[in-house]
Amino acid sequence: TLMDVNKYEHTNPFERTSAYWGRLYIAVYFGKFEYADKMDHLLTTNGLDDQSFPFVTSVPFLCGLMASHRYRQTKKKKYLKMLRQRKRELKNMCDQKGISVHYLYLILRAEWKAIKVGATSSALVDTCYDNAIMHARAGNHLDSAGLASELAGKQLLRRSGGKDPRIRGYFTQALGFYERWGSVPKAKSFREEYGDYVDEDRVRKMKMDNSLVGQIKSIDLRDQSQEHHSHTGHTQDLMSHGTPGNGLAQSVSDMISKGQASKDPTARTPSDDNARSNESAESAVDDDNMSQLADSSQ
């Protein structure tokens, strides 16, 4: 099948690493987190130490999301440790190499907060997700903006049992981003799972409205306000069944590069520096002592 990686076991390291990476990406975006866990293991044990920018920035993010979901599924604290480690890796990239991955860090931070304090500080968790969505959207990272919106909606769904009216706003926004991103399979999958919470009229408006290209507006999901979104010309499907195995990972690589704003990866703006300043105390106030996360189950 398309997701089978056994045939790459004895291929050259670059081809093998690309196959693992592409399937990790797809598994996370389609919610196949047990499979993503396997790909993370294969990348760690049998993959190439690829230092390219898309690889070193996307792998911590994807593995962090896998870990957050696997922790919810299994309650094994090794996944909580993994999420914390991956979050810190992205934070260090922001501090040392520029702010271009700040939106990825913010998504993992929101997931961390949802797990650690979601039951007692729901307003803080909501703010973390909104901040992640805003930064992903500001950089025209439509795939990540969609994913952050989806995660925010899922958090409310878990918390309220489907009764919070904001779920509809987040899931509608998520589908709108996925439609604008151009991923037909992801949009189809999302509709099948969360279609009852989606306002299709608003999604169509979001998909067609190009009137505010390049402009960023603050997000306020609490009043269900109508929003306009940055335009992207990207129309490549996330997963094409007509694509050979090698092409799959290349397609993912192409989409990552196309989904990012066309600018210097390490370029900073004044707002970026303000964001870094606001997050500078992250390690001191956001993380628990790792001795509390000891877990005998592996």
Side-chain angles (χ1 to χ4, degrees):
T1 64
L2 181 68
M3 299 297 281
D4 180 32
V5 294
N6 291 331
K7 60 185 177 182
Y8 296 102
E9 185 175 352
H10 302 293
T11 58
N12 70 74
F14 180 80
E15 186 177 1
R16 184 170 61 244
T17 300
S18 297
Y20 297 158
W21 177 40
R23 284 154 180 79
L24 171 66
Y25 189 98
I26 291 172
V28 168
Y29 270 82
F30 281 86
K32 306 300 182 182
F33 297 106
E34 186 174 357
Y35 184 88
D37 196 356
K38 295 177 181 178
M39 292 303 101
D40 174 50
H41 176 73
L42 287 173
L43 273 174
T44 302
T45 60
N46 204 24
L48 184 69
D49 185 19
D50 188 340
Q51 293 300 308
S52 64
F53 184 79
F55 188 87
V56 298
T57 56
S58 65
V59 168
F61 174 64
L62 296 170
C63 293
L65 287 183
M66 175 277 292
S68 70
H69 285 78
R70 290 293 285 155
Y71 174 75
R72 292 185 179 104
Q73 291 170 346
T74 68
K75 301 304 179 185
K76 291 184 178 180
K77 292 184 180 179
K78 69 176 184 178
Y79 292 114
L80 201 59
K81 294 180 186 179
M82 188 183 301
L83 170 60
R84 183 176 187 257
Q85 176 185 350
R86 295 303 197 174
K87 176 174 66 74
R88 283 189 162 184
E89 286 179 26
L90 289 176
K91 179 66 165 57
N92 289 337
M93 290 181 199
C94 295
D95 292 341
Q96 299 171 11
K97 299 183 180 180
I99 204 65
S100 61
V101 295
H102 191 242
Y103 68 104
L104 299 179
Y105 160 73
L106 289 176
I107 294 174
L108 290 193
R109 182 174 185 262
E111 284 286 277
W112 172 265
K113 287 290 190 180
I115 291 173
K116 298 299 292 180
V117 300
T120 58
S121 303
S122 58
L124 172 62
V125 172
D126 295 342
T127 298
C128 287
Y129 280 115
D130 288 345
N131 197 26
I133 294 166
M134 183 179 66
H135 278 78
R137 180 187 174 201
N140 203 29
H141 306 281
L142 300 181
D143 55 336
S144 297
L147 190 56
S149 300
E150 178 180 344
L151 293 171
K154 287 164 66 176
Q155 168 64 12
L156 287 179
L157 191 62
R158 286 189 296 266
R159 185 195 305 166
S160 71
K163 297 179 180 179
D164 194 315
R166 292 174 295 166
I167 297 171
R168 185 173 180 84
Y170 280 116
F171 281 160
T172 296
Q173 179 172 252
L175 183 56
F177 282 128
Y178 290 143
E179 290 276 10
R180 294 294 299 277
W181 180 34
S183 175
V184 175
K186 176 58 183 178
K188 180 178 182 292
S189 174
F190 190 84
R191 278 190 173 93
E192 290 173 352
E193 190 165 4
Y194 301 113
D196 291 343
Y197 296 97
V198 169
D199 181 345
E200 289 288 354
D201 289 338
R202 187 178 172 207
V203 170
R204 282 190 289 271
K205 179 176 175 58
M206 292 168 64
K207 184 178 180 181
M208 297 175 63
D209 189 357
N210 301 326
S211 61
L212 294 181
V213 176
Q215 298 185 34
I216 303 301
K217 297 175 65 178
S218 62
I219 293 177
D220 188 357
L221 289 165
R222 288 168 179 76
D223 63 3
Q224 302 292 298
S225 60
Q226 291 290 327
E227 299 175 28
H228 302 286
H229 297 274
S230 304
H231 175 66
T232 178
H234 169 56
T235 59
Q236 185 174 2
D237 287 353
L238 178 60
M239 182 168 64
S240 169
H241 288 280
T243 304
N246 286 347
L248 175 62
Q250 183 59 49
S251 296
V252 174
S253 178
D254 290 344
M255 283 184 295
I256 291 174
S257 61
K258 290 181 181 179
Q260 295 170 338
S262 56
K263 59 184 180 182
D264 182 349
T266 61
R268 288 196 181 107
T269 66
S271 62
D272 291 335
D273 291 330
N274 290 336
R276 292 181 70 237
S277 177
N278 292 337
E279 300 294 342
S280 61
E282 168 74 12
S283 297
V285 302
D286 194 41
D287 295 326
D288 294 336
N289 188 312
M290 285 306 292
S291 64
Q292 300 174 4
L293 300 181
D295 190 289
S296 59
S297 55
Q298 301 297 321

